[in-house]
Amino acid sequence: MQKRVLVILLSLFLATFVFTSVDAQSKSVYWNRWDVLINNVDVTNNHFDVTESYDINFSGSFRFGSATIPLTNLDSITNVAVSENGKALQANCGGQRAGTFCAENNSDGLSVVYYFFQPINNASQQFEI
């Protein structure tokens, strides 16, 4: 059981935000807080809602973030939403526009890439997926 919990926690850690940068030595990302809420559990239909909430401190300049959620033991993930500081980003897979996100399935799972409303420079922000 402990091994399974460790595997799940490691999977969640690896599934979280992946930020890319040109100069990795001068940029860093630190999670001040990371919460996961599972609610609206329907055991009859095997359906539930998951919200991941992050308070992240950025050192350097960042324009976007991403997460890959493995689909192991899942049939599908639907109704994806992303917000920054409580303000909803708009679903749009047509480009890299500020205030949008794109959620698409790939070989690694569900890939979510989201573009901040404004570049974040040496500040903290809150996100929900």
Side-chain angles (χ1 to χ4, degrees), residues 42-115:
D42 179 351
V43 294
T44 304
N45 296 307
N46 197 24
H47 176 270
F48 53 93
D49 295 336
V50 177
T51 303
E52 294 189 8
S53 302
Y54 305 97
D55 177 4
I56 302 174
N57 186 45
F58 296 90
S59 178
S61 181
F62 294 84
R63 294 183 317 105
F64 71 96
S66 67
T68 299
I69 304 166
L71 297 175
T72 308
N73 301 322
L74 298 173
D75 292 331
S76 64
I77 297 175
T78 60
N79 301 321
V80 176
V82 180
S83 68
E84 178 182 347
N85 288 335
K87 186 176 176 185
L89 280 72
Q90 298 300 309
N92 181 348
C93 292
Q96 301 177 359
R97 293 185 13 208
T100 66
F101 75 94
C102 180
E104 297 180 308
N105 287 309
N106 64 31
S107 62
D108 296 326
L110 180 71
S111 172
V112 181
V113 179
Y114 49 95
Y115 299 90

Side-chain angles (χ1 to χ4, degrees), residues 15-16 29 36 50 82 95 126:
T16 190
V29 177
V36 178
V50 177
V82 180
Q126 290 74 43

Side-chain angles (χ1 to χ4, degrees), residues 4-17:
R4 183 180 176 118
V5 171
L6 181 59
V7 169
I8 291 170
L9 289 175
L10 182 58
S11 295
L12 284 172
F13 179 75
L14 294 175
T16 190
F17 298 95

